Amino acid sequence: MTIENTSFKTRARTIDHLGREQIADCPTAISELWKNAYDAYARNVELHIFDGKPEVAALVDDGHGMNKSELVEKWLVVGTESKATGSATPEQDRLGLPERPRQGQKGIGRLSCATMGSLLLLVTKKQENPFSAVLIDWRIFENPFLLLNDVKIPVIEFADKTELASHLPNMFDVLMSNIWGDGTDLEQERNRRVQSAWHSYDEFEKRAKGYAKTREEIESRIIDTCFELRHFNCWPVWNGVATQGTALFVTGISDDLLAHLSRESLDNSTSLEHATRTRFHETLSGFIDPYFRENEKTPGADFACTVIAWNGDLQRIIIDKASSFSVHNLDQMEHFVEGEIDETGVFNGRVRFLGIDFPGITIPPREPIKSNTASRVGPFSIRLSTYEVMQKNTTHTPEHHADLDEKARRYAAFMIHRDGFRLMPYGREDNDFFQIETRRSKNAGDAFWVARRMFGGVKITREANPNLRDKAGREGLIDNKAAKQFREIVINLLEALGKKYFGRNSENRKKLLPEIQATNEQKKADQGKKQLITRQRKDLRLKLKQKAEPIEQMLNAVNTFEEILISGEQLSTLENAFSLQRQLTKLGEESKELSLGPRIASLGSLESEYSDYRKKERAIATTLARAASSINVAIEKLNPPAPEEIIKKEIFSKATSLSNRIRRWGIAAENELKEEQARLRDLIGSRHQLFHNENSYLIDAAEKKSIELGHALETLETSYQNLSQENEAIFPPYIEALKSLREQIDLEGLVTHTIKESADLREEIARIHALAQLGITVEIIGHEIEDLDLTIERGLATMSDDVKETDAFKRIQTAHHSLSDRWRFLSPLKLSGEKVRKIISGQEISNYMHEFFLDFLNRSDIQLVTTDSFKAIQFSEMPSRIFPVFVNLINNARYWVRHTHAENRIIQMDFQDGLVIIADNGPGVATEDINSLFTLFFTKK
């Protein structure tokens, strides 16, 4: 038997199998190319998507680049030894950076370029080397009849960037030789094989699809392709920012990239665009672990990835490191988990629930961890945050909660990062590796965690977990024993955390949630108060501004009117008197229009301006009242005939005035009602559509099998519950408010009164607290003064008789007795000591007041008069409660009565009809101060 020697023959389709067909999708392919840029020690890698005809994508970096030899012998060779042997990158290629753990594997990144688009122009430059370039149309490798050895890839080297344009036509010619042959006699056999292969493929496509288009599309793309200067200018090497790097320019780009050229917002985009852009963002956001702290040595911290879409000269940032969710955001959230899981599966770390930290938490695995070689899972860490879905349960402000809802749409994911880089496809909506949504779809109440509201994930390293290996196409971890055990450890930890600390049956929730709900209700009420006060102040500020000049003019007008009346000349005849009465009525109507309305709950900085305006209002009202009285007296003296006619006219005049004001108010109210009806219709319409608008994309997602049914149903249920709660908070209170209006309940007056009462009570509590502290301080000092008083008394008593006879000693002794008497007067005012009630008569109070204020009253020439009825009254009370009241009242009256111009200054204590009366003939109290008169610490002194 003769043994025939042969070898594998490789078809061109092998490249397509190893590249485009192996990679999960376009975003995953981009992530592999980013890893390649990282392995090339780039600091920045950017994906630019350009509009135009044709559209172009450019993926550029500032890594070490390649020379022509490396491009040919490494990049264009499948299965090179560098990554298999783990050989280190030479120091000169690290560009001053520390050694990086290698991220790319198996050379899959370069072959997956085909997923981005059909035609690739790669340009690269290494430091102190010329540029190199290669041109590839990946569709050539879809032809199963074409031998790989027959495919020619044009490669060039050039010294200056301006030379590329002149080389491109020749490179396209070489590329076309893979379709037509090169036309030379030396390549007749290859030309025959190439032409035959494409003929066979044309026939194959016709049988399989009914048409043959691949060859025509390749020819058209190559002939029509035009790379522009703006495409090259996005590369740091081309624009002179860097001296080395690699750029991939792609045309015939995929739908995943084309979707980002739409200028519609994500909410307004089509269902297909929405799903495509969402999936793209889900895959590439958080590609570099964003949840590391500054003091942690995390690979990727010195590496940035950006995606930019260009519409003409307008650029839009799709993905950027600065716009991602970071560890700073995690630290601000109400629920937080951070810790280490050791090789035995034990969690050690800290937990935060509703803003309260629980350090030193240890959670063991549910079952012992297998530690044999194949199953071994090394140590890893977890850093994870989430928040309450219901606004009423959250510790976050409404603004922060709404912001988290918005951020969750873009960044929420429970991811796996290895050596600082995201492991695909974990954290995407269509991947439920840790069965988070599966468990929740079975029991939403017990399964606390929701993937769409989780930020963060687990962090592993290749060194500590070599058994956790990627599948060839980057579709996740190889499903070996270690991966299964790793998943179980994480699932058990999440379940334990939910059950013990976060879930509906946890002691934390039962203990803390009622208080938080009450706090949120209070915050909601406070916010309503704040909005009302703000609106009232705004309205009042506007009124004060608009009416400042008219009120001044009105004050001048009524003063002038009163001067006319004082002269008496115009009141001599009935005709003139009636004329003045009509003028008075008109002034009264006009003055009513200048009213500011009821006093608002909180004036703030408007207090002074408001008080000044009110003084003018009172002055006008007082003057008009005096004028009315004067005119009425004058008319009565003139004895007019038919007084009933005068009354009839007056009734008609005043009724007309009232009707005019009611009519104006009615028109204003009807306008407000019309605007409110329109707002209500819009609100009802928007709330009708909200659920459909939020969830209609799930239909397309289900048709495309990009979402599991259980996940979709859970999403619908969560949305339904959230919107139901929101509607409940909007419409029933609105209806109740309308009922109150119908029943003539003054809602604004009620709220204003409640706000004022609440504010007054808070101030009163603060005053009482301050007074109590003052009283305690006085009593403490009082004990010390008593001791000092005794010491002084004993010291004076020990003086010699000669000293005692001196005038100086006698003055000191008199002053000491006076001081002691004053201090003894305060003994009934003490709060401490035995709380004993006693019978206190009005006579005792009178005696006490006369003695206490004797010097003050004499110096100010004030009489303190006590009636017999007052002296006869009796109280059963503690002196410390009664005497301070009268001391305060008499002292206040003493201060103000000094300002009277009366010949005799009198303060009187009386008792009439069951009421104790303290009266004086001082200047009196302003109307607006009456309600505050007996408020602690209120004074106009």
Side-chain angles (χ1 to χ4, degrees), residues 504-537:
R504 66 178 178 182
N505 294 319
S506 70
E507 289 302 317
N508 286 340
R509 187 169 289 275
K510 292 177 182 177
K511 180 180 178 182
L512 298 175
L513 200 57
E515 182 178 347
I516 288 170
Q517 289 174 338
T519 300
N520 284 334
E521 285 295 320
Q522 184 61 49
K523 285 180 179 177
K524 185 177 179 181
D526 290 344
Q527 181 64 25
K529 292 178 186 177
K530 185 177 178 181
Q531 289 175 344
L532 178 61
I533 290 172
T534 300
R535 196 258 296 167
Q536 287 179 333
R537 283 182 183 171

Side-chain angles (χ1 to χ4, degrees), residues 673-917:
L673 282 173
K674 288 177 182 177
E675 290 184 10
E676 181 57 20
Q677 285 177 330
R679 190 191 73 83
L680 180 60
R681 284 194 297 271
D682 292 342
L683 176 64
I684 292 171
S686 66
R687 300 304 297 185
H688 272 309
Q689 295 296 321
L690 198 55
F691 182 77
H692 183 270
N693 293 343
E694 280 190 2
N695 300 287
S696 58
Y697 77 94
L698 292 172
I699 300 172
D700 293 317
E703 288 178 353
K704 296 177 174 58
K705 310 297 184 185
S706 61
I707 188 172
E708 295 180 357
L709 177 60
H711 187 180
L713 294 176
E714 175 61 20
T715 300
L716 288 172
E717 180 63 23
T718 301
S719 177
Y720 172 78
Q721 294 296 340
N722 290 344
L723 292 176
S724 293
Q725 182 189 16
E726 291 175 10
N727 292 337
E728 191 76 20
I730 293 172
F731 292 105
Y734 188 93
I735 295 169
E736 290 302 314
L738 292 178
K739 289 180 180 177
S740 297
L741 288 175
R742 189 184 64 201
E743 294 170 7
Q744 299 182 11
I745 297 173
D746 181 6
L747 293 179
E748 179 151 346
L750 184 62
V751 173
T752 300
H753 173 73
T754 303
I755 292 173
K756 186 177 185 307
E757 187 177 48
S758 175
D760 290 345
L761 288 173
R762 283 196 295 269
E763 290 179 9
E764 188 72 9
I765 290 170
R767 292 188 186 106
I768 291 172
H769 179 74
L771 185 62
Q773 295 300 317
L774 178 61
I776 292 169
T777 303
V778 169
E779 290 198 24
I780 293 170
I781 296 173
H783 291 303
E784 296 177 0
I785 292 177
E786 284 181 8
D787 293 338
L788 294 171
D789 180 63
L790 290 172
T791 301
I792 294 171
E793 186 175 352
R794 291 190 185 111
L796 292 175
T798 60
M799 294 289 182
S800 65
D801 292 339
D802 293 341
V803 173
K804 291 180 180 178
E805 291 300 322
T806 63
D807 291 338
F809 178 86
K810 291 176 181 178
R811 285 195 298 270
I812 292 171
Q813 191 176 44
T814 301
H816 173 245
H817 288 162
S818 179
L819 180 63
S820 297
D821 289 342
R822 289 290 176 194
W823 179 250
R824 276 192 289 276
F825 269 110
L826 295 178
S827 60
L829 311 184
K830 292 181 180 178
L831 297 174
S832 62
E834 188 177 3
K835 304 295 189 295
V836 178
R837 292 176 182 267
K838 59 176 291 188
I839 301 299
I840 305 170
S841 68
Q843 183 68 62
E844 288 180 75
I845 296 171
S846 175
N847 294 341
Y848 186 92
M849 295 301 126
H850 275 89
E851 290 185 62
F852 191 92
F853 289 104
L854 180 62
D855 290 343
F856 296 110
L857 297 174
N858 290 338
R859 284 198 302 267
S860 301
D861 193 22
I862 299 172
Q863 289 181 286
L864 178 58
V865 178
T866 309
T867 66
D868 292 338
S869 59
F870 180 86
K871 294 176 182 177
I873 63 174
Q874 290 184 330
F875 298 93
S876 176
E877 188 53 270
M878 291 179 285
S880 62
R881 287 186 177 174
I882 292 298
F883 283 97
V885 174
F886 286 95
V887 168
N888 183 45
L889 291 173
I890 298 300
N891 187 55
N892 195 60
R894 178 187 64 81
Y895 176 86
W896 288 108
V897 82
R898 288 184 305 161
H899 296 82
T900 184
H901 299 296
E903 184 175 346
N904 297 317
R905 300 173 178 177
I906 300 174
I907 301 173
Q908 181 172 292
M909 295 192 291
D910 196 3
F911 181 76
Q912 296 180 20
D913 300 326
L915 299 176
V916 172
I917 300 171

